[in-house]
Amino acid sequence: MLRGLVLDFGGVLTDFGDDFAAPEPPLVGVVRNVRRHGILTALLSNADGLWAPPREWDGLFDAVVVSGEVGLAKPAAAIYLLTAERLGLEPAECVFVDDLAVNVRGAAAVGMVGVHHTSIASTLDELTVLIEFPSI
């Protein structure tokens, strides 16, 4: 059973799809929704150590792993393992979403379920099936 949702920042959590008038990117709303259903959440970014998530996202993630802070970068296996560990989960209990296929393959190589984000609609469809509750 999948108990953790791990998302990339740039290209995933910043994707507004076709609705640039929305108050926040749709996948940020997904994070809020899955947390209400007991799913643990993590943000995994290859940003430098000076970067931090937007303040309005405080409390939205159970773990934030930033390459510049931990000295590891996607697609290295160690960064996915560290993220799962910080969530207190096994990699196989996590689904990872990234817009770069190489990073999705890296997550899958350590046992995570990978979702290649190409559009809001396709990612929502996949997450709805994987996390097994309606209306993500």
Side-chain angles (χ1 to χ4, degrees):
M1 170 178 251
L2 295 173
R3 299 176 42 220
L5 175 61
V6 180
L7 298 112
D8 174 50
F9 176 72
V12 175
L13 287 171
T14 59
D15 186 356
F16 277 85
D18 296 329
D19 189 1
F20 292 102
E24 66 184 9
L27 292 174
V28 173
V30 167
V31 172
R32 292 182 199 289
N33 189 16
V34 300
R35 285 180 60 82
R36 284 192 295 271
H37 288 86
I39 302 293
L40 298 173
T41 59
L43 187 152
L44 174 55
S45 175
N46 271 354
D48 64 33
L50 301 175
W51 179 85
R55 286 233 181 242
E56 59 268 18
W57 294 0
D58 284 355
L60 192 57
F61 297 97
D62 298 293
V64 175
V65 178
V66 178
S67 290
E69 293 176 358
V70 300
L72 302 165
K74 298 176 286 182
I79 199 161
Y80 305 106
L81 296 172
L82 175 64
T83 304
E85 178 183 308
R86 288 192 176 175
L87 287 174
L89 300 174
E90 294 297 319
E93 296 176 294
C94 300
V95 60
F96 172 72
V97 182
D98 200 295
D99 59 315
L100 298 178
V102 65
N103 293 339
V104 174
R105 286 192 295 274
V110 301
M112 289 184 174
V113 175
V115 173
H116 184 200
H117 175 74
T118 57
S119 72
I120 297 295
S122 66
T123 298
L124 290 175
D125 287 346
E126 288 195 52
L127 291 177
T128 299
V129 170
L130 291 169
I131 298 179
E132 298 178 4
F133 61 85
S135 303
I136 285 186

